[in-house]
Every structure is written in structure tokens, then in C-alpha cells.
């Protein structure tokens, strides 16, 4: 871990990326270090808004020594490549749902992180919503 805070990087500059950036900003032991986007101008604007460094290359961003955790906020079906690259770079990953769109791609992500000894997580922010309790109860009761 770089200094006393976890250094986060985000790949993707769409709407969900801003939610992640605000959440990281609100954590006492986290800081947003970098963002990477396909369009450099969008990455630059995002970086200016959230006070981090902009990249248009995932590999360059993953080489940044302050990055500990990559948040993958790209469209569904475009998660595996970034997750595997992060594992190979020794970075942990928090990925937007779904992890991927096919089981072989999910398996490749899991295998890469197991081999690297890094963590792979997936967001699922509504799992504790009270409105879902009847569904959980019904599933539990068969």
C-alpha cells in the first residue's frame, strides 16, 4: 500500500465512475490517484474534477506507483482485459457488475487474481436493501 491510504485508480469516465470517485473521496483511508479513459479529453476533465492524474493508457496507469486498487467502470463485456492486466500488475480490483458477460471471461479474471495473489471484487450495492428481504426469505425457505 502506498503511504497510509489506499491509492485507487478508475478505468472508465462514464456516469458510474463519478459515483466511485465520490465514494473514494469520502473514505478516510483512500485517495483517488488516477483515471483512464478512451478519450483523453474526458479523462482530463474527470481528473480535473476529482483531483487525480489522467491517463489514456491502462498499462501506464497501472504502472503508477501510487495505485493499489483498480476500479473497473467500463461497459459490461469490457471488464476482463482490465482485470487481468491489473492482476498481472499486482493491483487489486473492484469491478462493476456484472463481472463479465460469459463464464469463461469471469473464470479468466478469477484465475488471474488467484495466480497474482490479488483480490477481485464486484459491486452489488443493493444486496442489503430492505425491500429485497422478502425475496431473500423466500429463497432461504425454498
Amino acid at each position: 500500500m502506498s503511504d497510509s491510504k489506499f491509492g485507487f485508480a478508475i478505468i472508465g469516465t462514464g456516469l458510474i465512475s463519478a459515483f466511485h470517485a465520490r465514494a473514494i473521496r469520502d473514505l478516510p483511508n483512500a485517495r483517488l490517484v488516477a483515471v483512464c479513459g478512451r478519450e483523453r479529453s474526458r479523462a482530463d476533465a474527470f481528473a480535473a474534477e476529482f483531483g487525480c492524474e489522467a491517463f489514456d493508457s491502462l498499462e501506464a496507469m497501472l504502472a503508477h506507483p501510487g495505485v493499489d486498487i483498480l476500479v473497473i467502470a467500463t461497459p459490461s463485456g469490457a471488464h476482463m482485459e482490465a482485470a487481468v492486466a491489473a492482476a498481472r500488475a499486482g493491483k487489486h480490483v473492484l469491478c462493476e457488475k456484472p463481472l463479465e458477460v460469459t463464464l469463461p471471461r469471469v473464470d479468466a479474471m478469477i484465475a488471474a487474481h488467484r495466480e497474482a495473489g490479488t483480490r477481485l471484487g464486484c459491486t452489488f450495492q443493493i444486496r442489503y436493501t430492505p425491500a429485497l428481504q422478502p425475496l431473500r426469505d423466500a429463497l432461504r425457505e425454498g
Side-chain angles (χ1 to χ4, degrees), residues 23-134:
I24 292 164
R25 180 180 55 204
D26 291 343
L27 292 171
N29 61 343
R31 64 189 172 90
L32 183 58
V33 174
V35 65
C36 180
R38 287 181 301 199
E39 295 177 32
R40 182 57 188 248
S41 61
R42 288 186 63 166
D44 286 338
F46 190 97
E49 181 178 353
F50 292 103
C52 63
E53 191 172 345
F55 290 86
D56 55 11
S57 160
L58 175 62
E59 293 74 23
M61 184 174 73
L62 291 174
H64 188 295
V67 173
D68 302 303
I69 302 166
L70 175 66
V71 175
I72 300 176
T74 54
S76 298
H79 295 168
M80 184 194 75
E81 293 79 7
V84 169
R88 290 182 180 152
K91 312 298 181 180
H92 304 287
V93 167
L94 178 61
C95 187
E96 265 300 318
K97 63 187 173 309
L99 270 178
E100 252 302 345
V101 295
T102 69
L103 187 55
R105 290 175 68 82
V106 170
D107 288 343
M109 293 167 71
I110 293 168
H113 283 274
R114 279 192 178 140
E115 183 177 322
T118 52
R119 300 287 179 124
L120 171 65
C122 183
T123 60
F124 191 55
Q125 65 273 21
I126 66 167
R127 70 183 170 273
Y128 297 115
T129 300
L132 295 178
Q133 190 58 48

